[in-house]
């Protein structure tokens, strides 16, 4: 996946890629996916990681009556080539959210 696709906010299956759009855009997108899928994975890297955590917390805390829960959280790093040609590591996170049943 190229760097431009990673933060475009597009959905691939049950994945939500967090980028620079307003926070509630991702909350809404995740809730729509959760209506159709039993589990959704919120993915982010770099500076968008804090927004991904915020999205997960909003869904779990504010939608308490809906019974959503945070599942496994994966952290890692990814080698990315910067515009000047250098390779650098960027932190990544994947947060799974599912309906508690």
């Amino acid at each position: 996946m190229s760097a431009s696709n990673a933060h475009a906010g597009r959905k691939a299956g049950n994945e939500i890629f967090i980028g620079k759009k307003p926070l509630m855009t991702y909350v809404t997108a995740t809730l729509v996916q959760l209506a159709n899928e039993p589990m959704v994975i919120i993915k982010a890297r770099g500076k968008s990681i804090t927004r991904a955590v915020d999205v997960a917390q909003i869904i779990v805390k504010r939608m308490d009556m809906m019974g959503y829960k945070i599942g496994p959280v994966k952290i890692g790093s990814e080698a990315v080539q910067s515009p000047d040609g250098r390779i650098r590591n960027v932190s990544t996170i994947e947060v799974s959210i599912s309906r508690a049943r």
Side-chain angles (χ1 to χ4, degrees):
M1 171 180 351
S2 70
S4 62
N5 286 343
H7 294 294
R10 66 177 178 81
K11 296 176 278 297
N14 65 338
E15 299 175 344
I16 303 292
F17 293 95
I18 305 298
K20 298 182 182 195
K21 292 180 183 176
L23 182 68
M24 292 309 289
T25 303
Y26 299 109
V27 172
T28 303
T30 303
L31 289 172
V32 168
Q33 285 297 106
L34 281 167
N36 301 316
E37 302 280 341
M39 182 182 70
V40 174
I41 300 171
I42 299 170
K43 293 185 171 188
R45 61 185 193 180
K47 294 179 181 178
S48 297
I49 289 175
T50 55
R51 184 170 282 135
V53 172
D54 290 344
V55 168
Q57 289 297 303
I58 287 171
I59 290 171
V60 171
K61 303 285 185 200
R62 290 194 187 170
M63 306 294 170
D64 192 36
M65 295 188 309
M66 300 296 291
Y68 296 120
K69 66 176 184 174
I70 295 177
V73 176
K74 296 180 186 176
I75 58 171
S77 63
E78 193 175 288
V80 177
Q81 187 171 5
S82 61
D84 63 3
R86 292 187 302 184
I87 301 293
R88 59 188 185 96
N89 288 326
V90 177
S91 298
T92 61
I93 191 168
E94 293 183 12
V95 181
S96 299
I97 298 181
S98 61
R99 288 181 245 146
R101 295 233 164 131

